[in-house]
Amino acid sequence: KYNISLKTLTEYNVEPISYIVVNDKPIKADKHAYVFIEHKDGEETYKIYQPFSKDYKWLNSHNDSIWQGWSQLPISDHGGTLIITKSLKDVMCIRENTGYNAVALQCENVLPKKQVIDELEERFGLCLIFYDNDYDKETNWGREFGLKLAEEFGLVQLEINEDLESKDFSDLVKNWGKSIAKEYLENNIKEVPF
């Protein structure tokens, strides 16, 4: 429903799992359970997602310095655009459906180190924030955290219009299809002042 291919899932180290080992104890995973594997500084870490679990929806050994999708970025794309979003699902969905490079922090309320943002701005000409629009919540946390990140580093924040009833890019693809989602993002990027 998000138009993410097996090729992209494989490229981003997303694998289905049957068991989770916690403190040397194997626990049967839900029918729909996935691990996202990241590598940083010679260490392998895991983020486990069980979308229908009431008890263990997320299990995570990543720390806040791990960027989801970092190792899949090109070394350099001078003059290119990088989307900083809020989940690996959106990273893959943006990459698959638009061709834009994307990365995500571990969660929306994490602020990265300045030198990391400086490196990304050096590698890519334009870095944009594209967090959730939690339009249907009392507090729009995606907007608040995206604004904080944008203001901290002088970046531009993009957001999906509420009338599209899609909180993030993957919802936009699911609700409106690849063509409309891609066109929507491209039109928003064109409006960014350089």
Side-chain angles (χ1 to χ4, degrees):
K1 63 186 173 184
Y2 304 115
N3 196 42
I4 299 173
S5 68
L6 178 60
K7 179 179 183 262
T8 296
L9 292 169
T10 301
E11 179 184 352
Y12 283 85
N13 302 313
V14 178
E15 298 178 14
I17 57 173
S18 301
Y19 285 88
I20 303 162
V21 178
V22 178
N23 297 327
D24 296 326
K25 180 183 173 192
I27 301 168
K28 178 83 170 126
D30 284 3
K31 179 180 177 185
H32 300 285
Y34 309 92
V35 64
F36 310 145
I37 304 167
E38 293 289 343
H39 298 90
K40 181 181 180 199
D41 301 329
E43 186 176 340
E44 186 172 271
T45 57
Y46 309 95
K47 191 171 196 174
I48 295 168
Y49 179 46
Q50 300 183 108
F52 305 109
S53 175
K54 290 181 176 41
D55 299 317
Y56 300 108
K57 186 171 185 175
W58 291 103
L59 297 166
N60 191 358
S61 69
H62 300 334
N63 64 41
D64 288 347
S65 74
I66 306 281
W67 287 68
Q68 299 171 103
W70 183 278
S71 58
Q72 289 77 20
L73 290 174
I75 299 300
S76 177
D77 190 8
H78 293 293
T81 299
L82 176 69
I83 308 293
I84 299 172
T85 189
K86 54 81 186 167
S87 72
L88 184 60
K89 178 176 73 172
D90 282 321
V91 167
M92 293 185 296
C93 198
I94 288 168
R95 182 72 179 150
E96 177 92 23
N97 291 286
T98 70
Y100 286 109
N101 292 303
V103 290
L105 293 155
Q106 286 303 309
C107 60
E108 289 174 317
N109 65 351
V110 170
L111 279 178
K113 295 177 182 174
K114 183 182 183 318
Q115 64 261 30
V116 176
I117 295 296
D118 290 345
E119 177 186 336
L120 290 173
E121 288 185 307
E122 175 68 26
R123 288 170 65 182
F124 304 88
L126 179 63
C127 295
L128 302 169
I129 310 301
F130 193 27
Y131 279 3
D132 285 4
N133 179 359
D134 298 310
Y135 64 91
D136 57 347
K137 304 281 191 293
E138 187 174 323
T139 302
N140 192 331
W141 291 115
R143 179 180 291 156
E144 296 296 318
F145 291 132
L147 183 60
K148 183 177 179 181
L149 182 60
E151 288 176 348
E152 180 76 20
F153 298 106
L155 303 173
V156 174
Q157 179 181 7
L158 304 178
E159 188 176 85
I160 297 172
N161 291 338
E162 292 178 17
D163 60 333
L164 293 173
E165 297 181 351
S166 302
K167 70 180 175 87
D168 57 26
F169 189 79
S170 54
D171 278 354
L172 196 61
V173 170
K174 178 181 75 173
N175 297 337
W176 297 92
K178 174 184 176 172
S179 296
I180 289 173
K182 180 179 180 182
E183 181 179 358
Y184 182 84
L185 182 57
E186 287 176 343
N187 287 340
N188 276 269
I189 291 171
K190 286 177 190 172
E191 293 177 12
V192 172
F194 291 96

